[in-house]
Amino acid sequence: MKNQELVDYLMSCGVCKVCQLRYLRARGSEYNDIHKSLQRLGVKVTEDQVEDEDNVISTDEQPLKKPRLTHCSTCLGIFSEDFQRELIEGIIASEFGKYDSEGIVLAITMPMSLQLRQLSMWFALQRKFGSTVHSNSPPDVPIKEAVKLILHPIICKKLDKKYDANGLVISIDLRHKVEEEEVDKLVELNRAAFPGKALRRVEISRGLLEKQYQPSRVKAETFEKYLPIPPPAVDESLSLKSVDLQGPMVCVAGRYRKLSRELSHTPWLLQGVRQMEDSIEEIIIRSVGPHFTETVPKITFMSSGREDVDVRCLGKGRPFVLEIPNSRRSTLTREQALAMEQAVDTSGKVSILNLQVVPREQAMNIKTGEEQKRKYYRALCALKEPATLEMLQKLQISESFDIQQKTPIRVLHRRPLHTRPRTIYSVKARLQRDNPLVLVIDIVTQAGTYIKELVHGEFGRTTPSFSSIIGKPIDIQALDVVGIDLDWPPEVDNSVAQ
Ligand SMILES: [Zn+2]
């Protein structure tokens, strides 16, 4: 079959020029100049077509809507300039303008009629050209692929965006008035073509069509009892049913310092009753979230470990990351970040720094090696009798040692009972302002060590403990986290102008 013969036949069936190129199996950039590509493939372009092409080009300046009697029988007009305009207008009329994402992804759902029509044309070509048209690989570049090749670049260009798999997802649902009727026919056809596997209408899917509906599985004669071969042209083009937008997941990281001994990590509820009016999570999200999204409650807060309610976290602070789904913005200037840091500071309970947008794939850094990390603590401890030099010497330990720690009684209601080994890297005790009853002890431990129990031993549930080491009772009065061994996120000083 010659290209010209094929194109002549397609034209007689009401197939548009873009689809003619699809049936000539054009690839990529060949769709940029349809006219030239047709000529290069040895197809004569008629005057009528040239004129049509000219009209198409001039539409940018002045929409010259040439009244069209029919629309392409195989693509239902999806590649026409008119439809492209409708698509762009539809996207712009959505909340598209509220997103600042530089990249976009298009997810276009097409009526099943397009697949049925592709099959119908496949049958028609087999009849017309015989054995040159295979029955197990489609004779055209499938519409789904052609949409990616042709429509995606045009839409990106018109919207001045880049194609980016991590960008704003624009889901476009298309419909056509013939779909309803054609799918009804398909349900009947399906019964005839695959007897014994009767499907209801809702069970007919695009995936099923893709898999089952090929000339090698359905006979043309059966198909034709329900739907015409070749597919007829239509008097109306596809239209836009809906445009849905889903912004990218943006991750914002930083470090927090917990300055209060009366603040929980996340909202603290006991039997549905709030125990504390605020939490670290809420204070941070309240200041950072609204910049990125209108659905603040969907934000997830993660940190590299956590403190107990009565423990402060000082030093450089604890790394945290917010996962913000459907984000409208993907950037944060230093100025904006600084304003957020200052807003959190006004709580007086939490302070944050190094606030920045981080690549999504880095967000899980927060959880890596959580068990292996070293943690740095400072504990204020009380003795029942004055400290002796011997006690102080016993609590100067520069070589690491292991302890066995049973799950503390205070957390047994939410953690299973285990005995876990934990490594203590160093212990350094000194007197608090020459008060012999109070010790300040700096401790470096493996993450996951229960520090309070390490100090008092909890009736031998943690061994050895500081109490067992000095052979005297000792209790903890206050605890601060002074360092977390995680070199992430990178340090940025938002108070320095860019
Ligand atoms: Zn077409």
Side-chain angles (χ1 to χ4, degrees):
M1 140 192 65
K2 280 187 187 152
N3 286 349
Q4 186 66 57
E5 272 179 83
L6 173 63
V7 168
D8 287 344
Y9 177 66
L10 291 170
M11 273 166 69
S12 76
C13 299
V15 173
C16 76
K17 273 178 292 154
V18 175
C19 290
Q20 289 167 23
L21 268 184
R22 284 200 301 116
Y23 279 94
L24 292 167
R25 292 182 173 277
R27 311 300 313 184
S29 59
E30 289 182 275
Y31 292 99
N32 294 351
D33 190 335
I34 285 152
H35 210 163
K36 260 195 198 141
S37 298
L38 283 170
Q39 280 176 331
R40 197 169 41 238
L41 291 163
V43 175
K44 231 170 53 204
V45 181
T46 62
E47 281 303 305
D48 187 33
Q49 281 180 303
V50 175
E51 196 187 308
D52 195 24
E53 182 86 353
D54 286 347
N55 268 350
V56 161
I57 286 165
S58 64
T59 49
D60 257 4
E61 292 292 305
Q62 197 183 17
L64 280 174
K65 274 198 184 165
K66 192 176 153 191
R68 238 182 244 240
L69 294 172
T70 60
H71 292 270
C72 175
S73 56
T74 57
C75 74
L76 301 174
I78 198 169
F79 298 115
S80 73
E81 274 285 320
D82 285 351
F83 179 68
Q84 281 170 26
R85 198 178 305 117
E86 187 185 337
L87 207 53
I88 301 286
E89 280 167 6
I91 294 172
I92 290 172
S94 71
E95 296 205 307
F96 176 74
K98 289 194 180 173
Y99 291 84
D100 83 343
S101 179
E102 279 176 29
I104 57 168
V105 189
L106 295 161
I108 303 182
T109 309
M110 291 173 275
M112 284 192 259
S113 286
L114 290 173
Q115 280 167 290
L116 285 173
R117 283 161 177 270
Q118 181 194 26
L119 179 59
S120 170
M121 186 51 83
W122 193 345
F123 286 135
L125 293 175
Q126 280 188 327
R127 278 186 185 169
K128 176 87 181 159
F129 300 104
S131 58
T132 48
V133 181
H134 294 291
S135 61
N136 42 21
S137 71
D140 57 339
V141 173
I143 293 202
K144 221 161 86 181
E145 237 179 284
V147 162
K148 280 186 197 149
L149 287 171
I150 304 165
L151 274 188
H152 287 195
I154 290 175
I155 293 173
C156 286
K157 198 172 163 212
K158 291 252 163 95
L159 297 174
D160 197 21
K161 299 283 180 189
K162 283 196 196 88
Y163 202 84
D164 175 3
N166 294 320
L168 168 66
V169 181
I170 306 179
S171 301
I172 297 162
D173 208 354
L174 304 180
R175 68 166 159 213
H176 194 278
K177 66 171 185 181
V178 297
E179 187 182 26
E180 190 74 24
E181 192 192 326
E182 291 186 355
V183 175
D184 282 344
K185 289 277 163 58
L186 170 62
V187 176
E188 291 174 39
L189 163 64
N190 197 67
R191 237 174 260 145
F194 302 99
K197 277 198 253 170
L199 294 178
R200 287 172 301 143
R201 197 183 192 288
V202 289
E203 293 170 303
I204 305 268
S205 67
R206 289 168 180 82
L208 172 95
L209 278 175
E210 215 158 280
K211 259 206 313 232
Q212 308 267 41
Y213 282 74
Q214 303 173 10
S216 58
R217 317 195 84 181
V218 178
K219 285 200 180 81
E221 296 70 43
T222 315
F223 185 90
E224 205 172 20
K225 280 184 198 154
Y226 303 93
L227 291 154
I229 299 175
V234 289
D235 58 7
E236 232 176 67
S237 111
L238 285 163
S239 62
L240 213 51
K241 187 172 167 196
S242 64
V243 176
D244 282 313
L245 303 171
Q246 181 70 34
M249 165 85 84
V250 167
C251 295
V252 177
R255 286 172 172 265
Y256 74 77
R257 286 188 286 221
K258 178 174 181 280
L259 310 173
S260 166
R261 293 197 192 278
E262 289 171 8
L263 185 65
S264 61
H265 193 77
T266 48
W268 183 18
L269 301 167
L270 273 185
Q271 288 162 340
V273 182
R274 247 202 118 112
Q275 301 299 302
M276 262 170 196
E277 65 171 84
D278 225 338
S279 66
I280 298 173
E281 173 182 305
E282 289 163 290
I283 292 171
I284 296 176
I285 289 179
R286 193 187 301 146
S287 301
V288 178
H291 170 77
F292 291 96
T293 180
E294 281 179 6
T295 48
V296 169
K298 299 234 163 109
I299 297 177
T300 311
F301 173 77
M302 295 188 291
S303 62
S304 174
R306 55 164 66 196
E307 311 77 27
D308 287 336
V309 168
D310 57 352
V311 174
R312 295 187 301 181
C313 178
L314 308 172
K316 283 183 172 175
R318 188 185 292 278
F320 70 88
V321 65
L322 301 178
E323 279 186 346
I324 307 170
N326 191 14
S327 183
R328 294 206 160 151
R329 291 202 180 89
S330 44
T331 56
L332 184 63
T333 64
R334 282 200 180 168
E335 243 178 348
Q336 290 164 333
L338 181 64
M340 291 173 189
E341 291 177 358
Q342 288 167 342
V344 171
D345 284 353
T346 60
S347 71
K349 297 174 180 170
V350 184
S351 136
I352 59 170
L353 64 164
N354 297 332
L355 198 67
Q356 58 196 287
V357 169
V358 294
R360 197 173 156 185
E361 57 276 14
Q362 279 184 20
M364 285 326 282
N365 279 355
I366 207 103
K367 296 288 171 198
T368 48
E370 210 174 46
E371 288 285 289
Q372 284 76 44
K373 298 286 178 204
R374 288 175 188 224
K375 301 275 161 114
Y376 301 78
Y377 297 95
R378 175 161 292 175
L380 194 66
C381 302
L383 294 162
K384 290 228 158 74
E385 51 189 86
T388 61
L389 190 61
E390 193 194 350
M391 281 184 204
L392 280 172
Q393 276 168 347
K394 282 183 175 165
L395 292 177
Q396 306 295 324
I397 307 168
S398 52
E399 284 195 5
S400 62
F401 63 101
D402 283 354
I403 59 164
Q404 298 294 326
Q405 192 157 55
K406 279 204 176 86
T407 308
I409 294 161
R410 66 187 163 95
V411 299
L412 269 179
H413 64 284
R414 57 187 165 92
R415 299 267 162 86
L417 175 62
H418 284 308
T419 300
R420 295 188 306 173
R422 279 290 178 263
T423 302
I424 311 303
Y425 297 104
S426 72
V427 179
K428 210 184 275 176
R430 61 181 159 82
L431 290 182
Q432 156 92 339
R433 290 194 198 108
D434 299 324
N435 180 345
L437 288 175
V438 183
L439 298 181
V440 175
I441 309 179
D442 287 326
I443 314 158
V444 183
T445 70
Q446 181 185 0
T449 306
Y450 294 104
I451 303 299
K452 292 170 185 170
E453 287 69 22
L454 169 67
V455 172
H456 58 63
E458 200 183 29
F459 322 111
R461 293 169 63 88
T462 292
T463 50
S465 65
F466 293 174
S467 175
S468 74
I469 289 170
I470 60 172
K472 302 277 176 194
I474 177 169
D475 203 1
I476 191 160
Q477 292 198 316
L479 182 66
D480 290 335
V481 176
V482 290
I484 289 138
D485 185 21
L486 175 61
D487 214 7
W488 186 89
E491 281 185 30
V492 286
D493 186 351
N494 290 315
S495 64
V496 178
Q498 258 158 327

